[in-house]
Amino acid sequence: MFRTALRNVLAHKARLLMTVLAVMLGVAFVSGTLVFTSTLSDALKNSAQKGYDHVDVAIQPHTSDKTSGNPGAAALLDQRLLDQAARVPGAASATGIVSGFTAIADKDGKLIGGGFSTRGGNYFPGQDGKDARYPMRDGVAPHGTGQLALDAHTADRAGYKVGDTVRISVDGPVREVKLTGVFTTDDGAVAAGGSLALFDTASAQKLFAAPGEFSEIDVRAAPGTSQDALKAAVDKVLPKDGAEATTGKQLADEQATSIARSMDSMTTALLAFAGIALFVGIFIIANTFTMLVAQRTKELALMRAVGASRRQVTRSVLAEAFFVGAIAAVAGLAVGIGIGAGMRTLMNATGAKIPDGPLVVSPATVLVSLGVGIVVTVLAAWLPGRRAARIPPVAAMSSVHATATTKSLVVRNTIGAVFAGAGIAAVLAATGMADGKATMALGAVLLVIGVFILTPLLSRPLIALAAPVLRAFGISGTLARQNAVRNPRRTAATASALMIGLTLITGLTVIAGSMQKSIDKMATSALKADYVVSMASMTPLSPEVAKTLSGLPEVTASSPLSYSPSRIGTDQQSLTGVNGKDIGKLTQLDFAQGSLAGLGGGKVVVDETTAKEKGWRTGSTFPVTFQDGKQGKLTVSGVYTGNQMFSGIIVDNAALAPHQKTATYNQVLVKTADGATDATKDALAKALGKNPAIAIQDKKDVSDGLAQTFSMLLNMLYGLLAMAVIVAVLGVVNTLAMSVFERSQEIGMLRAIGLDRRGIKRMVRLESLVISLFGGVLGIGLGVFFGWAAGELVSGSLATYELVLPWGRMGLFLALAAVVGVLAALWPARRAARLNVLASIKAE
C-alpha cells in the first residue's frame, strides 16, 4: 500500500501541483514570518545589549506616592549622589546622564527622523577628557552653550560638516548651534535610523532637566568587582525612596524581554494571516483529494476486492497526502527563508533601518514549518480518505456511490443551519455587550463554518440567478451553469476559499471607512479652533510657544492644553488645564449640566463617565492633591459628554500653575480671524521660526493624522490578505483543471456533436466566472455583516461612530472575484479545448 501511494503521487504530479503550491505559500508565510521576526528580534537585542556595555549599575529615580505625597513627580538625581556613587567600594567611575527629545533640521529645514527616535543627551568626559561611549570621528566634543555634536549617520545623511550651523528644537523655540564634532555610537536607536545630538553636561541639564540634576547615573565596576557586588555598595548611598539601582545585566534582560514582547504581537498578527492562508488551502487540499479519490474509485474498489482493508485504503490516501505535504513544506521553508531576508532588505530600503545582524533560522522555525505543512495536508485529506474506505467494492465498481443520499444532504444542511443560527445569535448578542469581543469572535467562526456547510445548498438558487445572463452565451453558457451546480460540494469548496478572503477584506474595509467617518465627524464637532499646535514628537511645548501665538494679530483666541497628575481620594487622576476665558471659543462640548462659562478659579468641568463614577453633579465639591503635594478643593460647574479629544476633569491653567514646577503644554488650540487658510498657516509657522519640530494642524490635518494609522493598517492587511486570495485562485485553477480531466469523455462528445474549441473555452471560463462570483457574493455579504457588528461594538466607546458602506470598493471586490474567475480558467480552458476528440471519447 505504501508503494501504491508513492506511485499515485508520481502518477498525478500535474494534478497535485496546485495543492503543493497552496500549501507551499501558506508554509512560506509561516516560515518567512518566523525568520523575519527572529532576525529582527535578535538584531534589536544585540543592539540593545551594546547600549549597556558601559553600564554595570544604573541609578534611576522613581516615584513613591506613599512617602512623597506628590503625584507624578519623580525627583531627579543630583551632583552629590553622583559623587557618592563614584566613591563607593568597587566603583571605577560614575557617569551622569541627561537626555530628552531633540529635533534636528536638515539643510532644507525639514525634520531629520521623527517622533521619539530623535534624541539629545550629554557628553560626559572622564579623567582623560573623553567619553568612551561616543568616540569622535571628526572634530571635538561640545563645550559651552551653543555647541553640539551629531552621530555620524545623522551628520552624513543631512550633509553636515564640523563648523556648520545646525537648527535644533527641544521644546518649541528654534535654537541655532555650532557643530563641533561628529561621533560614532552603538546606540540601538541610532542603529535603527534615529538621531542623537550631544551637548556638554551643563547645557543638557538646562535643556532637559535642571542645573545640577541628572535623569540617570551609570556606574562602572572596577576590575574584579561583580555587578551584584557593586549594586549592593551603591544601594547604601541611595536616598530613601528617591532612587533605585539596577545592574546592567538586568537592564539588558528587561530590554530583551520588552523587545521579545513587542515582537510577539507582530509575530502573532503575521501568523494569524498565515493561518488564514493555510485555512483557505485546506479547501483546496480536501477538494483535490476528493476528486482524486472519486477518479480512482474503481481502482480502490479492486484493491478492497483483493484483500485491502478499510484502514489500508485510508492510510494509502493519507500517505499520498504526507508525501505532498512534505514536498510543499520543504519548498515553503526555502521560500520563507527568502521572504524573511527580503522583508529585512525591504524595510531598510523604505527607511525603517534595522540593525545589522545574521539571518536567524532557528530549529523551531524548521520544525514548525515542516510540521504545519505536513499536518495541514494530512488532516485535509483524512475525510476524503475515510470516505473512500467506506465505499463497498461492488458499489464502487458500478459507480453507484456517485450521488449523495438525501439523508446525508439533510444531515449536512441541518448541521449547517444550527452552526449559522448559533453564529448569528452570538454576533447579535455581542453587539449589546460592554465587552463582547470574545463572544463576537466565537459567533463569527460559527457563522463562517455554518455558511461553508450550507454553501452546497446556497449554490443552486444563487447560481440560478445568473441563468438569464448565461443564456446570452448560448449553449456554452447553459452548460457552464449546469456544470457549476452538477457537484454542489465541489463548487462550495472552491467558492468558500475565495469567500473567506473577501469576507475579511470587506469587513475590514467597512470598519475602516466607518472609523474614518467618525474621526472626521469628531474633529469637526469637537473643535471650533482653526489650528492645533503641538510638537512632532508629542513631547511638551515650551510656554514661549503659547505666549508667541497669543500675541499674534491673526489670533483671536488661544488656549494651551496641559496635563497635570493629581490624587483624588486614593485614585490617581489627570487634570487637563485650559485657558478658561477662551476655551469656549475653541471647543464644542455637549453639556448635560452647566456649561464652560463657569470654568475658572476652583471651578472645573468633568465628563459624564467621571461624574457618574464619583457621584458628582453641578455644585459638588471634592478635595484634590496637586502635583506639588499641596491640597485644595475643586467645585464641579458643569458635566459634559466626553469624546476622543476631551475627557476627564478640565481646570483653568491659572489654578494649576502655582502647583507646577514648570508650566509645560502638550498642545495649543488657536482661533484666527481669517480661519484656516494657507496664508494664516504660513504666518503662524513664520512666527514660530519655521520650526520643523512643531506641527501646525487644521481640522483636516488632525483628522488625517488620527486616521493615518487606520489607513496604514488597512493597506498592510490588504497586502497580507492578498496571500489568501492567491491561494483561492490556485484552488479555482485546481478544481477546473481536475474537472476538465474528469469530464474528458463528455468534452469529447460535445466536440463530436459540433461544439467548437472556442465554445469549449467559453464554457470552462463561464463556469469559473460563476463559481468565483458566487464566492464573491457570499464573502462580501458576510463581510458587511461582520463590519456592521464590529461597528456596533465600537460605537459604545466612540460616540461619533457611523456605519459607512463603501459601495465603490465592494463593487471593486466583486470585480476582483470576476477577474479571479477569468484568470483561473485560462489554463484549464485551453487544456479542455486542446483535448483530442477520439481519445477523449474513449477515455474512462
Side-chain angles (χ1 to χ4, degrees):
M1 295 300 292
F2 180 81
R3 289 195 298 270
T4 300
L6 182 59
R7 282 199 300 269
N8 282 326
V9 171
L10 297 176
H12 301 125
K13 293 188 291 291
R15 282 182 259 174
L16 290 170
L17 176 62
M18 295 301 168
T19 299
V20 171
L21 286 175
V23 178
M24 183 195 75
L25 285 174
V27 172
F29 208 152
V30 172
S31 58
T33 295
L34 295 176
V35 169
F36 172 68
T37 52
S38 297
T39 300
L40 181 58
S41 178
D42 185 69
L44 291 174
K45 286 179 182 177
N46 291 337
S47 180
Q49 185 70 48
K50 289 180 181 178
Y52 293 107
D53 285 346
H54 300 283
V55 181
D56 289 311
V57 173
I59 304 173
Q60 298 170 321
H62 68 79
T63 303
S64 178
D65 296 326
K66 294 180 181 179
T67 57
S68 68
N70 181 353
L76 295 181
L77 315 175
D78 57 19
Q79 184 66 42
R80 177 173 170 274
L81 181 58
L82 175 64
D83 295 337
Q84 288 178 327
R87 293 194 298 266
V88 300
S93 63
T95 302
I97 308 295
V98 190
S99 64
F101 169 75
T102 301
I104 304 167
D106 61 19
K107 291 189 175 182
D108 295 326
K110 297 180 180 179
L111 179 66
I112 299 176
F116 299 98
S117 63
T118 56
R119 306 291 298 171
N122 66 311
Y123 187 88
F124 195 91
Q127 294 180 353
D128 60 355
K130 297 179 181 179
D131 189 332
R133 300 171 299 167
Y134 309 116
M136 286 293 158
R137 189 190 73 179
D138 303 317
V140 297
H143 182 73
T145 304
Q147 295 186 4
L148 92 161
L150 286 178
D151 69 90
H153 178 69
T154 300
D156 291 343
R157 63 176 166 168
Y160 283 126
K161 305 292 184 185
V162 172
D164 287 347
T165 297
V166 181
R167 298 173 75 243
I168 67 167
S169 177
V170 172
D171 56 1
V174 175
R175 293 176 170 87
E176 293 190 348
V177 293
K178 181 180 179 181
L179 180 63
T180 63
V182 176
F183 60 90
T184 58
T185 177
D186 292 328
D187 187 285
V190 173
S195 62
L196 179 61
L198 296 180
F199 308 88
D200 70 338
T201 299
S203 299
Q205 287 174 330
K206 291 178 182 177
L207 292 172
F208 307 125
E213 292 186 342
F214 302 96
S215 54
E216 183 177 319
I217 295 175
D218 293 341
V219 187
R220 290 296 305 274
T225 303
S226 68
Q227 289 189 354
D228 291 334
L230 181 60
K231 178 183 179 299
V234 169
D235 282 338
K236 297 177 181 178
V237 302
L238 295 182
K240 187 178 180 180
D241 297 317
E244 59 184 347
T246 310
T247 64
K249 182 180 183 306
Q250 184 179 345
L251 289 173
D253 290 343
E254 290 174 356
Q255 183 82 348
T257 302
S258 176
I259 291 171
R261 191 179 299 115
S262 64
M263 294 303 299
D264 283 345
S265 58
M266 179 191 294
T267 304
T268 302
L270 292 174
L271 287 178
F273 288 95
I276 292 169
L278 283 169
F279 182 64
V280 172
I282 287 174
F283 294 103
I284 301 175
I285 300 165
N287 227 6
T288 300
F289 279 93
T290 298
M291 295 172 73
L292 285 175
V293 167
Q295 291 169 12
R296 289 163 41 209
T297 299
K298 291 185 179 180
E299 173 191 330
L300 294 174
L302 181 60
M303 292 173 64
R304 288 288 312 281
V306 298
S309 66
R310 287 185 176 184
R311 287 187 177 181
Q312 285 179 312
V313 171
T314 302
R315 284 201 295 265
S316 173
V317 175
L318 294 182
E320 292 180 46
F322 177 85
F323 290 129
V324 172
I327 294 170
V330 171
L333 175 62
V335 174
I337 294 172
I339 290 174
M343 287 177 70
R344 183 172 68 172
T345 303
L346 179 63
M347 289 189 70
N348 283 329
T350 56
K353 185 174 174 60
I354 297 175
D356 293 332
L359 190 68
V360 179
V361 184
S362 66
T365 298
V366 175
L367 292 175
V368 168
S369 301
L370 295 178
V372 165
I374 293 172
V375 169
V376 166
T377 308
V378 171
L379 285 178
W382 176 77
L383 189 59
R386 186 169 176 269
R387 190 181 296 135
R390 296 178 64 182
I391 300 172
V394 175
M397 288 180 181
S398 59
S399 299
V400 174
H401 69 287
T403 305
T405 65
T406 303
K407 180 180 177 181
S408 69
L409 292 174
V410 170
V411 171
R412 178 183 179 121
N413 293 337
T414 302
I415 294 173
V418 170
F419 270 88
I424 292 173
V427 170
L428 293 177
T431 59
M433 297 180 180
D435 185 12
K437 295 178 183 176
T439 304
M440 184 168 291
L442 175 62
V445 172
L446 291 175
L447 180 55
V448 169
I449 293 174
V451 170
F452 168 65
I453 296 174
L454 290 172
T455 304
L457 178 66
L458 298 173
S459 64
R460 290 185 178 277
L462 288 179
I463 291 177
L465 294 176
V469 178
L470 292 174
R471 286 196 198 100
F473 295 94
I475 189 64
S476 295
T478 302
L479 290 172
R481 182 183 64 80
Q482 292 174 350
N483 289 335
V485 296
R486 176 189 297 182
N487 192 330
R489 290 183 176 180
R490 183 188 303 166
T491 298
T494 306
S496 295
L498 189 60
M499 175 193 77
I500 292 171
L502 287 180
T503 296
L504 292 169
I505 290 175
T506 304
L508 290 170
T509 303
V510 170
I511 295 171
S514 301
M515 290 294 292
Q516 174 69 62
K517 179 73 173 179
S518 67
I519 289 171
D520 288 340
K521 190 175 178 181
M522 179 184 67
T524 303
S525 62
L527 275 180
K528 288 197 289 185
D530 294 317
Y531 294 102
V532 177
V533 180
S534 62
M535 293 291 287
S537 62
M538 299 310 295
T539 51
L541 281 162
S542 167
E544 293 181 29
V545 174
K547 185 178 179 181
T548 300
L549 290 171
S550 65
L552 295 177
E554 296 90 350
V555 175
T556 58
S558 67
S559 174
L561 303 185
S562 64
Y563 300 95
S564 178
S566 71
R567 187 187 299 111
I568 298 173
T570 58
D571 298 330
Q572 294 288 327
Q573 184 79 45
S574 178
L575 302 177
T576 303
V578 300
N579 182 346
K581 183 184 67 172
D582 285 347
I583 191 63
K585 303 174 186 177
L586 301 164
T587 60
Q588 182 67 52
L589 299 178
D590 295 327
F591 275 83
Q593 302 174 32
S595 68
L596 281 170
L599 183 64
K603 294 183 178 181
V604 301
V605 296
V606 300
D607 68 326
E608 287 181 310
T609 302
T610 304
K612 186 176 180 180
E613 289 177 356
K614 304 291 186 182
W616 296 337
R617 54 176 301 156
T618 302
S620 298
T621 299
F622 58 91
V624 60
T625 302
F626 291 101
Q627 184 177 356
D628 59 356
K630 294 183 180 180
Q631 297 183 343
K633 286 190 176 182
L634 298 175
T635 302
V636 178
S637 65
V639 178
Y640 67 94
T641 302
N643 54 53
Q644 297 297 107
M645 300 192 70
F646 296 98
S647 62
I649 302 173
I650 300 178
V651 60
D652 194 344
N653 274 323
L656 282 182
H659 304 288
Q660 294 176 308
K661 190 173 183 180
T662 55
T664 54
Y665 304 129
N666 293 70
Q667 295 174 322
V668 179
L669 305 182
V670 178
K671 184 82 172 173
T672 60
D674 297 330
T677 64
D678 292 338
T680 302
K681 190 173 184 177
D682 289 341
L684 297 182
K686 185 176 181 180
L688 296 175
K690 291 193 176 294
N691 192 332
I694 293 181
I696 303 174
Q697 299 176 299
D698 58 21
K699 291 179 184 179
K700 186 177 184 307
D701 294 331
V702 172
S703 176
D704 291 346
L706 292 172
Q708 186 177 15
T709 303
F710 295 106
S711 299
M712 291 178 61
L713 181 62
L714 185 64
N715 290 334
M716 184 180 74
L717 294 179
Y718 279 163
L720 294 173
L721 288 172
M723 179 69 73
V725 175
I726 291 173
V727 174
V729 172
L730 294 177
V732 179
V733 174
N734 201 31
T735 299
L736 289 174
M738 298 187 73
S739 179
V740 166
F741 177 84
E742 193 175 70
R743 289 162 21 209
S744 295
Q745 189 178 57
E746 175 188 321
I747 292 172
M749 289 295 296
L750 290 172
R751 289 289 312 283
I753 62 177
L755 189 63
D756 59 11
R757 289 186 174 182
R758 182 175 296 179
I760 294 292
K761 285 183 180 180
R762 187 182 299 118
M763 177 187 71
V764 176
R765 288 171 184 164
L766 289 174
E767 179 184 350
S768 175
L769 182 63
V770 167
I771 292 174
S772 296
L773 286 175
F774 170 55
V777 169
L778 287 180
I780 292 172
L782 281 175
V784 170
F785 176 69
F786 290 141
W788 166 81
E792 290 295 303
L793 201 61
V794 170
S795 63
S797 58
L798 189 60
T800 56
Y801 185 85
E802 179 182 337
L803 179 67
V804 175
L805 294 180
W807 295 105
R809 290 205 175 188
M810 288 193 293
L812 183 63
F813 296 155
L814 194 60
L816 173 65
V819 171
V820 165
V822 172
L823 293 178
L826 290 178
W827 177 60
R830 187 163 178 258
R831 186 166 180 260
R834 295 179 66 183
L835 288 175
N836 183 279
V837 176
L838 295 178
S840 298
I841 292 175
K842 291 189 295 181
E844 294 188 7

